[in-house]
Amino acid sequence: MTTTTPLTPLPARHPDVRVQPPQEGQGPWLVQYGERYFRVGADAARLLDRLDGTRSPAGLAEDLGAPWTEERVREALESFSRLGLLAGAAGPGGTAGSAHGRPARRKAVGRPDGAKARRLRFVPPMTLQFTLWNPDRMMVRLLPVTGALLSRRGRQALVVLLVSGLVALAVQAQAVWLAISTPTSPWTYPSVILGLLLVTAVHEVGHGAVLTHYGQRPTRIGVMLYYLTLAFFCDVSPGWRLPRKEQRVAVALAGVGVQSLIGAVAALVAPATSGQVHDGLLIFAVACWLYGVFNLLPLVKFDGYLALMSHLDIPNLRARAMADARTATVIRLAGGHRPRELPQVRWAVAYGVACQLFPLYLIGTGLSIVSGLIGGLQLFGVTLLWLLLGTLAFLACKLVLRTVGEVRAAGGSVLRLAGIGLAAVAAAAVLLTQVTVDRQIPAGYATVNGRPVLVLAPGHDSSAIPAGAPVRLRTQGILVGRTLDRTAVAPGAARTAHVPLTAIVPVRTGTRVPATVRPLADDAVLPAAAGSARVELGRMSLGARLLDYLTSP
């Protein structure tokens, strides 16, 4: 006779696990384990609260009464164990208990963490976080200021300031366009970049300050590599304890609000200045607003997503919408059936598809930035770029394996799934071979010994540019650029010459640096002594363009 051993004879919750009732008598129950938060129903919270190591599953079911049975208690205990909430459990993972005692398909609200905080953390798919400090004391000191700003009169004043900043930018529209589309002074360029970096730090402080105002505390502040770009972060996961969704929305939007206010102040101060300071303030103001608008996009875990999720009061909105997208497409085509995660949200499938695709844009943008920065680092740069691509391939394999598991669990056919995969590969092949794109090489222009020349960026192969290739002469600023004239590459070999730094980066300076140059047509009329250019090399298939991008020096 075979006997089964229960999960634990006398199950007990982990000593660091705390069950927290709703604040002010409303909202969900929360389970806190270190810096992780789980939203659970009242029944699951009652069960976890009684796991003190003195009752068996049968005794717990008898003590709790309906809707609990011994079988449901064991199922919930398995879920708690996978999450690492029980004493002696293997570690985090799995799903949380539901309000009815059944395992729910819901992940942790907070970030994965153990009882002991770690400074360096990897958060899938492409985020690496490094904690700098616990901001609790700083946020407490800011409480008087935060309270004054969030009062009724304070909010009215902030709205007036924001509107005034937008009006100031509109009134200075011509000066704004000139500042953002033309080279700046050597002082302005690094100042704006440093200012934007500081704004991202203040942005995160804004999140923590509003959270503290509502009675909770941020757990950590640090820097992170987010989709290959450097940024700051503030962990406000305790915000899930706030009783009203309006408070959680305010926490999510606080950062964008803070940086928009800073941009408004810069726009209002700019008319009182002149020269480099004036241009720098205008560029800084526009960049603050653009960054804020971008941060409101709800397709990745930006502030806009957190605000939308809080407004709808649906934890893990993005992950569950993407699960519904897979259910409506891949799983259904494979013959499987799985109930929707978000049946109450009509647009969940479309939203989930968009959430699946938008990170590809972020990754592509990040790779473009990284490849531009490392283009001149030769072997190290190429190795780093391919390492990043290998990481993307690994994540893609994980997604495929996850999809196979979901199809099997939903009763679908793996063979049909394989057919879908082959059809997708064929469609991708058609896309890569039949869709054509412009091939352009970023460059610059200058005058050397009275002759106009094309200035090539480090890492570009001069032999890949044929004589007669069209060239667009442009003015390039920190944010945008515009075409001024056109010319062509003249016959002649590449050589090394000293050119103005303005031909390589958008700064106005007389400094000259060595660079590889090619002659331009003798009749070329340069719009300035030096500037930006684009070499047009015709159209090519999308696949060939990607291969050229990945294999070019």
Side-chain angles (χ1 to χ4, degrees), residues 105-161:
R105 305 175 68 90
R106 181 176 295 171
K107 293 183 180 180
V109 173
R111 295 178 173 87
D113 192 19
K116 183 178 179 180
R118 291 168 293 160
R119 283 189 175 271
L120 187 63
R121 303 180 186 181
F122 174 72
V123 181
M126 291 193 67
T127 302
L128 188 64
Q129 299 178 341
F130 181 77
T131 301
L132 295 177
W133 80 91
N134 186 319
D136 187 44
R137 292 183 178 179
M138 179 178 69
M139 298 305 172
V140 171
R141 293 191 182 101
L142 289 175
L143 274 175
V145 177
T146 309
L149 293 176
L150 294 180
S151 66
R152 183 177 180 180
R153 291 186 177 180
R155 292 196 302 269
Q156 292 173 347
L158 294 179
V159 171
V160 170
L161 181 58

Side-chain angles (χ1 to χ4, degrees), residues 50 58-59 65 122 130 171 205 227 229 287 292 308 339 439 461 513 530 547:
R50 283 171 170 76
F122 174 72
F130 181 77
V171 170
V205 171
Y227 286 97
T229 57
L308 176 64
R439 185 190 178 195
D461 183 8
V513 295
L547 183 63

Side-chain angles (χ1 to χ4, degrees), residues 386-441:
W386 280 97
L387 181 61
L388 294 172
L389 293 173
T391 302
L392 294 178
F394 172 74
L395 295 174
C397 290
K398 285 187 63 176
L399 178 61
V400 170
L401 293 176
R402 178 180 181 179
T403 303
V404 171
E406 290 180 341
V407 167
R408 286 178 174 175
S413 169
V414 177
L415 290 178
R416 290 179 64 173
L417 178 62
I420 296 171
L422 291 175
V425 171
V430 171
L431 179 69
L432 292 174
T433 56
Q434 300 303 315
V435 175
T436 59
V437 295
D438 290 326
R439 185 190 178 195
Q440 298 180 351
I441 294 179

Side-chain angles (χ1 to χ4, degrees), residues 161-197:
L161 181 58
L162 288 174
V163 174
S164 301
L166 285 174
V167 172
L169 284 179
V171 170
Q172 305 172 85
Q174 186 174 0
V176 168
W177 175 250
L178 188 64
I180 67 176
S181 63
T182 56
T184 65
S185 69
W187 175 88
T188 303
Y189 191 92
S191 297
V192 171
I193 299 301
L194 178 60
L196 291 175
L197 186 61

Side-chain angles (χ1 to χ4, degrees), residues 149-483:
L149 293 176
L150 294 180
S151 66
R152 183 177 180 180
R153 291 186 177 180
R155 292 196 302 269
Q156 292 173 347
L158 294 179
V159 171
V160 170
L161 181 58
L162 288 174
V163 174
S164 301
L166 285 174
V167 172
L169 284 179
V171 170
Q172 305 172 85
Q174 186 174 0
V176 168
W177 175 250
L178 188 64
I180 67 176
S181 63
T182 56
T184 65
S185 69
W187 175 88
T188 303
Y189 191 92
S191 297
V192 171
I193 299 301
L194 178 60
L196 291 175
L197 186 61
L198 293 176
V199 164
T200 61
V202 179
H203 171 117
E204 299 304 324
V205 171
H207 290 303
V210 174
L211 177 66
T212 305
H213 171 77
Y214 288 127
Q216 296 299 320
R217 297 287 190 274
T219 56
R220 57 198 178 100
I221 277 182
V223 295
M224 65 179 177
L225 196 63
Y226 188 74
Y227 286 97
L228 306 180
T229 57
L230 187 65
F232 288 88
F233 73 90
C234 180
D235 191 340
V236 292
S237 53
W240 285 105
R241 297 190 60 196
L242 297 175
R244 298 195 303 274
K245 64 180 183 181
E246 292 81 6
Q247 295 174 332
R248 297 193 292 272
V249 171
V251 172
L253 296 180
V256 172
V258 168
Q259 73 182 52
S260 298
L261 288 169
I262 295 174
V265 171
L268 291 170
V269 172
T273 63
S274 61
Q276 301 175 5
V277 176
H278 177 263
D279 292 346
L281 287 174
L282 291 180
I283 296 170
F284 178 72
V286 173
C288 284
W289 282 87
L290 290 178
Y291 174 62
V293 171
F294 187 72
N295 216 334
L296 291 177
L297 293 175
L299 301 180
V300 288
K301 293 182 180 179
F302 291 160
D303 294 342
Y305 164 71
L306 298 177
L308 176 64
M309 180 174 60
S310 299
H311 173 70
L312 298 176
D313 202 24
I314 301 177
N316 302 294
L317 171 67
R318 182 172 175 271
R320 296 165 74 179
M322 289 192 292
D324 280 352
R326 292 192 298 271
T327 297
T329 54
V330 177
I331 292 178
R332 178 177 294 179
L333 291 174
H337 175 74
R338 185 176 66 180
R340 286 184 55 180
E341 295 273 355
L342 301 171
Q344 76 277 25
V345 182
R346 293 183 179 180
W347 40 267
V349 172
Y351 175 67
V353 171
C355 289
Q356 295 272 21
L357 297 178
F358 188 71
L360 298 178
Y361 164 76
L362 291 182
I363 293 170
T365 302
L367 282 175
S368 297
I369 295 173
V370 171
S371 63
L373 293 175
I374 65 180
L377 299 182
Q378 303 300 328
L379 181 60
F380 175 77
V382 173
T383 302
L384 179 58
L385 187 60
W386 280 97
L387 181 61
L388 294 172
L389 293 173
T391 302
L392 294 178
F394 172 74
L395 295 174
C397 290
K398 285 187 63 176
L399 178 61
V400 170
L401 293 176
R402 178 180 181 179
T403 303
V404 171
E406 290 180 341
V407 167
R408 286 178 174 175
S413 169
V414 177
L415 290 178
R416 290 179 64 173
L417 178 62
I420 296 171
L422 291 175
V425 171
V430 171
L431 179 69
L432 292 174
T433 56
Q434 300 303 315
V435 175
T436 59
V437 295
D438 290 326
R439 185 190 178 195
Q440 298 180 351
I441 294 179
Y445 68 85
T447 300
V448 176
N449 297 328
R451 293 286 306 275
V453 296
L454 180 73
V455 181
L456 299 179
H460 283 290
D461 183 8
S462 61
S463 63
I465 302 177
V471 178
R472 289 187 295 162
L473 306 179
R474 296 165 51 85
T475 177
Q476 184 67 40
I478 294 181
L479 299 180
V480 296
R482 52 195 172 96
T483 298

